[in-house]
Amino acid sequence: MRFSKFLCPTLREDPSEAETASHRLMLRGGMIRQVASGIYTLLPLGLRVIRKVETIVREEMSRAGAQEVFMPAVLPAELWKESGRWDVMGKELLRIKDRNEREFCFGPTHEEIITDLVRREIRSYRDLPRNFFQIQTKFRDEVRPRFGLMRCREFTMKDAYSFDINEEGAKASYDQMYEAYHRIFSRCGLRFSVVDADSGNIGGSQSQEFMVLADSGEDEIIRCPGCGYSANSEKADGVISKIPEAKMPNQMEKRETPGKSTVSDVASFLEVPEGRLIKTLIYKTDTMYLAVLLPGDREVNEIKLKSALQAQHLGLASAQEIQELTGGPLGFSGPVGLKIEKGKIERILVDGLIEKDESYVVGANEKDVHLVGVVAGKDFSMQEVLDLHRTREGDQCVKCQAVLQSDRGIEVGHIFRLGTKYSEIMQATFSDPKGELKPSIMGCYGIGIGRTAAAAIEQNHDARGVIFPPSLAPFDVAVIPVQVTNEDLKREGERLYALLADSGLDVLLDDREESAGAKFKDLDLMGIPGKITVGKKGLAQGKVEVKMRWQEESQFIDPSELVDWVRSIPQAWDTRSSKVA
RNA sequence: CGGGGCGUAGCUCAGCUUGGUAGAGCGCUACGUUCGGGACGUAGAGGUCGCUGGUUCAAAUCCAGUCGCCCCGACCA
């Protein structure tokens, strides 16, 4: 490719909208342009990177025995209604109507569609197991798209679906995908870890996420240095050894707390550690109101709460609702005297960190009043005790008691054991050897293609720009004649370009009439691993000047070694000493 | 959905408070001089000041509405 013909509008300055490294560098490097919030055009350079990721994914999926299909992007509502997710998905699902007012959606994922295909086409245990995958455009109307390709509304996803005759088979299919994902992300040059995850509205019994470690990641990973346990903090379990000490009366007493409605205000006003407060959160689901009690210094894990309640929607009650339900204003709710009544608060859930017979501070359900010396289990009921808090760094591992640590991660892949959630409801059955009809055991497996590329940039860049892992780089090497007006340099550049291209390498020839400095800046920004500088220095001594993106100094090699040098770049990447952050 | 910010040339932004013929740097075009880490000179092109309405003799500027984009939050009891 000749740079002079290549659409790669690099930007000298940082675009104002970009915060994270990958977003900023993909815009500056001329890889993407935004069309609408969370919707992007991939420019030639960016597309090349995406294609590299896709190629790796395709190779590893076939190697793992999956076969490629291509399902539609626009999906009829009926299938979604059949699975029940038409109502569950909410506003994230982009709903559209055709000219006959028939309902469709733009596919956010394809369980329903593949299950529909399989129930029509696969009838016997002899046809199983099977695994189908596709690389397709999805649309999810995200609450808040951000960070360029990291959280888009429209994005490219590889999704795979396995169908097995029994649990052992399903487990084997899952393990196979686990291995394939390991190979894929390793080949993409990423440092990642696999964590236990919540399966969200996809459903199923077990799921794990592949997390690329990066400070800009939107997910928190909880990791145990003792036993190696690691999980998304949404899913992680942890314990604390003991609750904080506090001076507290033995009997329940009222205390005036004028205007102190937050945990930190009340705690400092009453001189009690936040862990000795109980916050009482009033939630509402599709069917009822409920109270959730947890230590003041803790946060509710709404994912756990939602699954404990088996609720489809979950949200906090409004200030007005709280006043009506508890008799007191927001900020002063408490469990003492809280009545359980049909149509009002129907359940009181107590987090497992609240200890029976210990005394706490709670709201009095009365403006500007809190209660101190409230004994858990005596002054209020602890009938429903559940694990509802969000685990955090510093808690102890439930398995080995080591102190848990936390990292930030970008979720690039997610694998699920679905069981029969979809096959049962949609009747995707097969005949077993006895002739009985059974639902297939399913698994599903996703990879965010664009997000993987973005994550690679998050992990591999420096002040000058991207440093693509060679496996994802848009070009293997760039040839830069420092002066194209100099006929000798121009001719030599053309010669090397032809030589390398003829060897099957992806080469970019920077034949633009730019200054050498401008070309170097652009090439560094674009992150191409190999750089061949064609200048008088090398020409004079009959050598070729070469440098890898992550190296500081050029070296001069014999022209006969050039092709081998370019081919050696991937190995050099793997063994490079100065890994970049 | 709540809070905040922004919308002026391809990009980054100034001008708006105090209304009076639209600005800078970078980029782009032409010519010349340069030429190993974003060169210089000269001459040029390029803008319905997001959109709609209002106030006014006069609106980028004041007012109202609207659309779009970004950020923070959505864990607050």
Side-chain angles (χ1 to χ4, degrees), chain A residues 135-162:
Chain A
I135 294 177
Q136 229 264 4
T137 301
K138 310 286 192 212
F139 194 95
R140 295 182 186 174
D141 202 352
E142 290 282 346
V143 195
R144 189 171 159 208
R146 58 180 140 183
F147 304 152
L149 291 197
M150 210 102 101
R151 180 168 294 277
C152 285
R153 293 194 293 171
E154 185 177 308
F155 60 100
T156 305
M157 178 169 155
K158 187 286 300 178
D159 43 328
Y161 305 90
S162 66

Side-chain angles (χ1 to χ4, degrees), chain A residues 460-475:
Chain A
N460 300 291
H461 65 272
D462 64 11
R464 294 200 294 254
V466 183
I467 306 173
F468 272 115
S471 57
L472 301 188
F475 293 95

Side-chain angles (χ1 to χ4, degrees), chain A residues 357-393:
Chain A
D357 301 329
E358 287 288 347
S359 45
Y360 290 92
V361 175
V362 304
N365 296 323
E366 187 181 333
K367 185 168 164 50
D368 295 344
V369 182
H370 277 79
L371 301 173
V372 301
V374 171
V375 179
K378 177 175 144 234
D379 296 319
F380 62 89
S381 147
M382 289 183 67
Q383 287 197 344
E384 291 199 86
V385 178
L386 291 167
D387 180 12
L388 298 171
H389 61 276
R390 187 159 189 152
T391 298
R392 65 186 178 203
E393 191 168 28

Side-chain angles (χ1 to χ4, degrees), chain A residues 189-210:
Chain A
L190 295 165
R191 295 188 303 284
F192 62 96
S193 76
V194 189
V195 306
D196 290 353
D198 184 82
S199 49
N201 65 15
I202 304 283
S205 55
Q206 182 192 1
S207 89
Q208 287 170 297
E209 288 165 337
F210 285 73

